[in-house]
Amino acid sequence: MFRVIECVWVQHDRLTVLMAAAIWAVGSLAFFLALAHARECGPQRRAGWLAIGGLAGGVGVWATHFVAMLAYDGGVAIDYDPFLTTLSASMAVAGFWLALRVLGDLRPIRSLGAAVVAVTAVAAMHFTGMAAMRVAAHIRYETGPIAAGGLVALALFAAAFLGFARFPGWRGVAIGSACAVLSVCTLHFTAMDATVLSPDPALPFVASGGTRSWLIGATVGAAAVLIALTVTATLIDRHLTDLRGLAQATLEGLAILRDGVIVETNDRFAELVGRDPSRLIGVGADEVLAAADGLPMASAREKPVEAAPRQDDADRIFEVASHLIEYRGRPSQVLAVRDLTETKAAQRRIEHLARHDGLTDLPNRTLFQERLEHALTRAARTEEALAVLALDLDRFKAVNDIFGHAEGDRVLKSVADILRRCVRASDTVARLGGDEFVVLQVGADQPQAAQALADRILAAFRTEMDPALDPTAVGVSVGVAVHPTDGRDAEALRHAADIALYRAKTSGRGQAAFFDARMDEEARLRRQLETDLRHAILRRQLRLDYQPLVRTADGELSGYEALLRWDHPERGAVGPDDFIPIAEETGAIITIGEWVLREACREAARWPDHLQVAVNVSPVQFQVATLADLVASALSESGLNPGRLELEITESALLKERASTVATLHRIKALGVSVVMDDFGTGYSSLSNLQSFPFDKIKIDRSFIASMEDDAAARSIVRAIVGIGRSLDLPIVAEGVETEAQRRLVLEEGCANAQGFFFGRPGRVALPRVLPGMRFG
């Protein structure tokens, strides 16, 4: 160790040694900077930076070696062979480049391999450089110090590569550079210490300083310039690469213009305009883009402008914003281009969905209203007529309930297709929701054109929607209103069409009806009646009358049927046939039916025990799951014996939700309440209804009783019903007996019980009137 120190301190010029160490310190720094840059580049540029790193490291270590050699004073004159000197430099450059290739992904095993290659290259360069010496002496090497120095140098170079890999950024570069400086200095000076020069006068004389002066200047100068350029290039390339990467990373296309001509672009701009990047430089911006405002692209604008490419895809839409910048020392303009094609398409889609039905793609309520308003505005100027047709599908709810919503959606699409084919291009078909459609007809003679259109629609439905062939087929009802006769504004016209549609549906469905003023009056009265009915209970306008039920054989009273009456403060007595359907449609029958049941039970509880009370129950009431609980509550509150209560239902109650209705009837019957089939013979599947539930009594509809005297068929029907009742052990009640002849006929046919005007009109029950043994007839 002391010999090495002695070699450095005594046999070398110390200032030159420091110069040599400084050269390698800068050279190793350039080497690791190039390596760091190569790690961050793509595959194409990485090879170039590895070559630069190999050149910087090889030249740096070569310059360090020869400057240190020039600092050596061996006591004899020394000169150098130019060829071997150059060869040693080439070996150093090739060795360091190969070391970087071996280093690869910086794994530890690769770091050790790269260190072996680098130390080998330094040693080969060193001893080749020693061989280039021209000296009148024999050169001998002591292998021990060289081997020891080589191992230390190998360890230091391995530490350099491992430290560079372990610590990112400048810390890794500094650690790697420091270890590399120590490694090269160790190898060089241990090799120099192991070198022994033995002067020999027999050898040719070498003049001192022949190439020494120029070699030291050339070596230091070349190394300094090369290393400085490498470091500078690394830093500048890093800065430019970062800026270029930032420009390439943006999703916007960027183009720099000078006097309207493109001088620089990023790849995104070239991609947007469909051009090769290299062919855009020097091209006018107006040759590439066309602004929507018609002005040149280089024009000053306060706001972004829409533009389109001049070629390739004319359907694409761009947004272009421009700003003034300084580029390469001169004022320039930068265009920032953003692709709006997908955004515009999405906006158009959103606008379409906002104004069209999502299922059928027909115009929705909003778009129909806009077109109707526009048509009315035009009609006000031109005095032309137009028509609005309101359409509602028949049987659609049943299709939806039975076959499911998916099948219901398919039917709605089919209906939309039918309507599209029936109208002209100038007409508008819209779906307002559910199974509600509407048509706006313009530019035609009215009302003839509306009648023809309605006929076409009805005919198309009869042809394409045949329930006999397709169980999912639906019908259609049409209501027609014509401007200006039926309404002058959109609201009035739509209202008139809806009223006409209601008339078409109530008149038998599957037909068209035109609006007239009488319809409007009826609809207005109906709406007012609906409103008044909702408040009838609170205003104490409802009351119950009771019609006697008697035995036909002896006329003895057996009970009463509770009949609902409405005393309207303005209309007077409103018949049940007028307000009961309204109550069922609006749902008010639920509340009214509860009041009737509780009131009838309360009243009947005051009667003698042998008298029964019959209460009619609407089919709508069976849609409430708590009907049986309501019956139990009314009996409990009134104290009425359940055996004295009869609930009368019609066959229509069994048409919907049959299973749940029958279950409710069983719960009611379990309370001890009698259940009576009312209006028997006028409904559907009467025999199956009798089979599905054990009724306690059958009431023959009054229409058969009224026809018995003159119609043999009606009398045969009565006889058949009595026979059914007798076979099922069910009492039969004849409704609507109004004459003695009718009483006698029903008695002859075997009807044990009857009611009607012959036995008494409905009215209040006074207790003295219902004494035991009271007889009628």
Side-chain angles (χ1 to χ4, degrees):
M1 183 65 185
F2 291 104
R3 288 183 57 191
V4 175
I5 295 176
E6 180 183 356
C7 174
V8 174
W9 193 256
V10 175
Q11 295 180 308
H12 288 73
D13 179 69
R14 290 186 289 275
L15 183 60
T16 306
V17 169
L18 290 177
M19 183 185 299
I23 289 173
W24 177 232
V26 177
S28 64
L29 181 65
F31 172 76
F32 281 103
L33 280 175
L35 177 58
H37 204 67
R39 291 182 63 189
E40 298 176 359
C41 291
Q44 295 179 346
R45 301 185 62 209
R46 183 178 297 120
W49 280 107
L50 290 178
I52 293 174
L55 181 63
V59 171
V61 76
W62 174 80
T64 298
H65 167 77
F66 273 94
V67 170
M69 287 289 292
L70 294 172
Y72 176 69
D73 184 7
V76 293
I78 301 176
D79 203 356
Y80 296 93
D81 180 78
F83 174 74
L84 292 177
T85 300
T86 304
L87 178 61
S88 66
S90 301
M91 295 174 67
V93 171
F96 270 84
W97 175 81
L98 182 59
L100 292 179
R101 302 291 295 186
V102 172
L103 184 61
D105 56 4
L106 301 178
R107 286 180 293 175
I109 188 64
R110 285 183 170 271
S111 297
L112 181 59
V116 171
V117 174
V119 171
T120 301
V122 173
M125 179 273 303
H126 177 87
F127 290 107
T128 302
M130 293 294 292
M133 292 173 57
R134 295 173 179 174
V135 59
H138 295 286
I139 302 175
R140 180 174 57 84
Y141 300 104
E142 297 178 359
T143 58
I146 293 176
L151 291 175
V152 173
L154 178 62
L156 288 171
F157 244 117
F161 288 129
L162 290 173
F164 174 80
R166 175 67 177 82
F167 299 99
W170 280 100
R171 290 180 61 191
V173 172
I175 292 173
S177 178
C179 291
V181 168
L182 293 176
S183 175
V184 170
C185 289
T186 299
L187 182 59
H188 177 83
F189 288 113
T190 54
M192 290 301 296
D193 184 61
T195 303
V196 179
L197 296 178
S198 302
D200 186 354
L203 295 174
F205 176 76
V206 177
S208 178
T211 57
R212 185 181 181 89
S213 57
W214 71 263
L215 186 59
I216 189 170
T219 302
V220 172
V225 171
L226 181 60
I227 293 171
L229 288 176
T230 301
V231 174
T232 303
T234 302
L235 297 177
I236 292 176
D237 184 79
R238 164 59 65 82
H239 180 67
L240 294 179
T241 299
D242 290 346
L243 291 178
R244 184 72 179 179
L246 182 62
Q248 298 291 7
T250 179
L251 297 177
E252 295 182 340
L254 299 177
I256 299 177
L257 310 182
R258 188 173 295 148
D259 299 327
V261 177
I262 299 174
V263 297
E264 187 65 75
T265 70
N266 66 352
D267 292 343
R268 177 60 175 163
F269 180 85
E271 177 186 345
L272 289 175
V273 298
R275 303 281 188 95
D276 186 271
S278 61
R279 297 184 178 181
L280 285 171
I281 307 303
V283 176
D286 292 323
E287 298 179 31
V288 179
L289 295 172
D293 59 8
L295 299 177
M297 291 305 307
S299 300
R301 295 180 175 87
E302 295 182 358
K303 296 180 180 180
V305 64
E306 289 188 0
R310 288 285 188 183
Q311 61 181 21
D312 294 336
D313 189 354
D315 292 333
R316 301 186 73 182
I317 302 175
F318 300 149
E319 181 186 65
V320 182
S322 63
H323 303 282
L324 294 178
I325 63 170
E326 183 176 334
Y327 182 71
R328 296 177 183 174
R330 294 177 60 183
S332 303
Q333 186 180 27
V334 60
L335 299 183
V337 182
R338 185 159 60 101
D339 192 352
L340 297 181
T341 306
E342 293 185 1
T343 302
K344 288 289 186 179
Q347 288 178 349
R348 288 193 295 270
R349 179 62 178 164
I350 291 173
E351 291 175 358
H352 182 83
L353 291 175
R355 296 154 65 85
H356 289 77
D357 175 52
L359 178 65
T360 63
D361 203 39
L362 291 175
N364 61 9
R365 187 184 300 272
T366 300
L367 181 55
F368 178 81
Q369 187 68 20
E370 291 177 4
R371 293 185 179 179
L372 178 57
E373 294 283 359
H374 178 72
L376 289 171
T377 301
R378 186 176 65 249
R381 297 194 308 267
T382 62
E383 297 184 357
E384 67 180 25
L386 58 91
V388 173
L389 288 77
L391 297 89
D392 189 74
L393 302 183
D394 304 330
R395 300 186 301 275
F396 177 73
K397 186 178 185 304
V399 171
N400 224 20
D401 293 342
I402 296 173
F403 297 97
H405 293 289
E407 191 64 21
D409 290 346
R410 185 196 64 78
V411 171
L412 291 175
K413 292 179 181 179
S414 300
V415 168
D417 292 337
I418 293 174
L419 295 178
R420 285 191 185 97
R421 294 195 299 270
C422 290
V423 302
R424 301 167 304 162
S426 58
D427 300 334
T428 297
V429 180
R431 181 187 176 213
L432 305 185
D435 60 343
E436 184 181 359
F437 294 82
V438 65
V439 178
L440 170 62
Q441 187 183 50
V442 297
D445 294 333
Q446 299 297 348
Q448 297 88 345
Q451 181 66 64
L453 176 56
D455 291 341
R456 284 199 304 274
I457 292 174
L458 293 173
F461 270 80
R462 283 192 295 269
T463 302
E464 302 185 36
M465 292 283 183
D466 187 352
L469 302 176
D470 182 5
T472 65
V474 296
V476 66
S477 298
V478 184
V480 185
V482 178
H483 172 273
T485 308
D486 302 331
R488 292 187 171 273
D489 57 40
E491 183 178 357
L493 208 55
R494 287 282 313 281
H495 174 69
D498 288 339
I499 292 176
L501 175 62
Y502 178 79
R503 172 59 62 87
K505 293 171 66 175
T506 55
S507 298
R509 301 179 180 269
Q511 56 183 292
F514 278 73
F515 173 81
D516 62 43
R518 195 158 37 87
M519 290 182 185
D520 189 31
E521 179 64 20
E522 291 176 0
R524 188 186 64 78
L525 293 176
R526 180 184 176 85
R527 288 194 300 272
Q528 185 61 49
L529 206 59
E530 289 177 5
T531 302
D532 294 344
L533 184 58
R534 295 182 187 278
H535 305 288
I537 296 178
L538 294 178
R539 295 171 179 172
R540 300 182 181 277
Q541 297 172 1
L542 298 180
R543 61 180 173 83
L544 293 180
D545 280 349
Y546 298 90
Q547 186 172 27
L549 296 170
V550 301
R551 291 197 292 267
T552 55
D554 54 13
E556 185 174 345
L557 181 68
S558 61
Y560 289 93
E561 179 180 358
L563 301 177
L564 182 61
R565 296 293 183 261
W566 181 13
D567 294 324
H568 194 280
E570 298 174 0
R571 302 171 187 267
V574 181
D577 292 341
D578 294 328
F579 71 83
I580 291 297
I582 296 177
E584 290 180 332
E585 289 181 14
T586 61
I589 194 65
I590 303 298
T591 304
I592 294 174
E594 179 179 351
W595 178 84
V596 169
L597 181 62
R598 294 184 185 277
E599 180 69 13
C601 290
R602 184 188 63 79
E603 179 73 17
R606 301 170 53 236
W607 303 344
D609 293 341
H610 73 285
L611 294 179
Q612 293 183 316
V613 62
V615 178
N616 291 281
V617 179
S618 168
V620 178
Q621 291 179 264
F622 282 92
Q623 298 177 12
V624 180
T626 57
L627 178 59
D629 298 327
L630 170 63
V631 174
S633 174
L635 291 172
S636 175
E637 291 178 0
S638 64
L640 181 68
N641 187 325
R644 296 177 58 198
L645 176 63
E646 292 182 350
L647 295 186
E648 298 186 1
I649 69 169
T650 60
E651 291 178 286
S652 58
L654 297 172
L655 293 180
K656 291 185 178 180
E657 305 294 338
R658 186 184 187 92
S660 61
T661 300
V662 171
T664 300
L665 289 174
H666 279 290
R667 290 182 58 195
I668 292 173
K669 194 172 178 65
L671 298 174
V673 176
S674 298
V675 180
V676 178
M677 170 68 78
D678 195 12
D679 297 336
F680 186 78
T682 60
Y684 303 92
S685 305
S686 299
L687 297 180
S688 64
N689 289 333
L690 292 178
Q691 185 180 18
S692 65
F693 181 79
F695 289 94
D696 296 290
K697 189 182 296 184
I698 297 176
K699 297 185 75 172
I700 303 176
D701 186 70
R702 65 180 64 249
S703 61
F704 299 113
I705 305 302
S707 304
M708 284 182 66
E709 294 182 72
D710 304 318
D711 189 347
R715 185 166 182 174
S716 297
I717 292 174
V718 172
R719 186 180 302 118
I721 295 175
V722 172
I724 292 173
R726 186 178 296 112
S727 63
L728 296 176
D729 196 22
L730 292 178
I732 304 298
V733 179
E735 290 187 290
V737 177
E738 298 182 359
T739 65
E740 170 61 25
Q742 291 175 351
R743 184 193 72 82
R744 187 174 60 256
L745 287 173
V746 297
L747 178 61
E748 292 175 357
E749 296 298 337
C751 294
N753 300 281
Q755 69 180 98
F757 291 165
F758 178 76
F759 304 106
R761 291 182 176 274
R764 301 295 297 170
V765 176
L767 290 180
R769 293 175 51 202
V770 293
L771 296 176
M774 186 64 136
R775 297 178 183 275
F776 294 85

